[in-house]
Amino acid sequence: MSLESVPPKYAQLVQALQRRIESGDYPPGSLLPSENQLINEFGVSRPTVVAALRVLREQGWIDSQQGKGRFVRGRPALASAEQPRTGQAYLIAPESASQGEVIETAAITAPNRIASLLGLAPKSKAFLRRRLVSRDGEPTEMVSLWLPVELSQGTDLTSAEPLAQGLREHLQSRKGVRFDHVVEQITARVPTSDEAKQLVMPKNTPLLAVYGAVRDASGTALAVVEVLLPADRHELEDAYPIG
């Protein structure tokens, strides 16, 4: 397996298109290939292409013109600092854009850290949607979405099928909540026996655990994204401007 963190398919497509823009294959002002052309060339689904194009537009790489298509703007300043963080990537990307399976959906007693991040009393229940993400048939990370139980009601989060929407988009459309910012924590710990088995990793190899606490504009906790990464297969990289 690769020693680098494996991004979701939509992020891989974003990177491929960025490289073509930077190399001049898609010069500024040129028309970007259509969704169907990208689907056929890269062998990905339409939700994957739509998610990738949305990211490129939001970051300033491309511009959309109604009835004309998407045009290349070029490499924006500080583009590398604008890449989605680990937790953010799984909030934005449709689950159907990456390989994997939903292995658990249930209302269970929240672990102490999760309860604290959600602002719940100790031993309170929270809704859990857990997915094992894989690449080339091998598990690469475990992604868990934790929500207050009432926020999960009336959604498709109990389904074993991958969501065609990103988690953020799905919750906003179904529950009317608005995500404002994420507070991310990264820690390391030894995996449990079940985690080691599911991720096919030695028990003595540590996990990198990324916790993204999602909040609204008032600071109220809405959700927590927990991403477990075997430390022998991943490394995390970040970039930021110097003020």
Side-chain angles (χ1 to χ4, degrees):
M1 291 187 183
S2 171
L3 294 178
E4 298 180 355
S5 182
V6 179
K9 284 187 178 180
Y10 88 99
Q12 296 177 45
L13 180 56
V14 167
Q15 292 169 2
L17 295 176
Q18 286 172 341
R19 286 194 294 268
R20 292 187 180 184
I21 292 172
E22 290 186 310
S23 68
D25 290 342
Y26 299 156
S30 64
L31 184 65
L32 204 67
S34 68
E35 290 182 13
N36 287 336
Q37 289 173 320
L38 293 173
I39 290 170
N40 292 331
E41 179 180 357
F42 290 93
V44 294
S45 66
R46 188 172 299 278
T48 297
V49 170
V50 170
L53 294 176
R54 182 172 63 245
V55 170
L56 289 171
R57 184 180 67 252
E58 291 174 350
Q59 292 183 352
W61 291 82
I62 64 173
D63 191 19
S64 298
Q65 297 184 22
Q66 187 67 31
K68 294 183 178 180
R70 298 175 178 88
F71 291 84
V72 176
R73 295 179 61 186
R75 188 183 194 280
L78 296 178
S80 61
E82 299 172 359
Q83 298 298 322
R85 268 65 170 183
T86 303
Q88 181 188 9
Y90 289 103
L91 289 172
I92 297 174
E95 289 181 341
S96 56
S98 60
Q99 296 178 0
E101 61 176 325
V102 177
I103 58 175
E104 187 174 2
T105 62
I108 64 172
T109 301
N112 290 338
R113 179 187 287 269
I114 300 298
S116 176
L117 291 173
L118 286 176
L120 302 176
K123 299 184 180 180
S124 294
K125 286 194 173 183
F127 177 80
L128 165 66
R129 179 179 177 84
R130 177 165 287 158
R131 190 164 180 263
L132 192 63
V133 179
S134 60
R135 187 188 189 196
D136 298 328
E138 297 185 85
T140 58
E141 58 245 56
M142 191 183 300
V143 182
S144 301
L145 175 71
W146 298 88
L147 298 170
V149 173
E150 62 273 13
L151 195 56
S152 69
Q153 296 169 352
T155 70
D156 292 338
L157 297 176
T158 58
S159 171
E161 296 299 317
L163 297 179
Q165 296 173 301
L167 295 170
R168 173 183 178 179
E169 184 179 355
H170 186 71
L171 285 170
Q172 286 185 168
S173 64
R174 290 298 181 90
K175 306 298 292 188
V177 296
R178 290 293 178 266
F179 293 178
D180 183 77
H181 61 279
V182 178
V183 178
E184 194 165 271
Q185 302 172 349
I186 301 175
T187 186
R189 63 174 175 82
V190 175
T192 65
S193 296
D194 285 344
E195 290 167 345
K197 182 178 180 180
Q198 289 168 324
L199 289 165
V200 193
M201 58 182 294
K203 294 181 180 179
N204 59 349
T205 298
L207 278 173
L208 293 175
V210 180
Y211 299 91
V214 184
R215 300 176 181 175
D216 64 15
S218 69
T220 301
L222 298 174
V224 173
V225 178
E226 176 189 17
V227 184
L228 301 182
L229 307 164
D232 62 339
R233 305 174 204 165
H234 297 268
E235 57 183 38
L236 301 179
E237 179 181 271
D238 198 4
Y240 49 87
I242 298 176

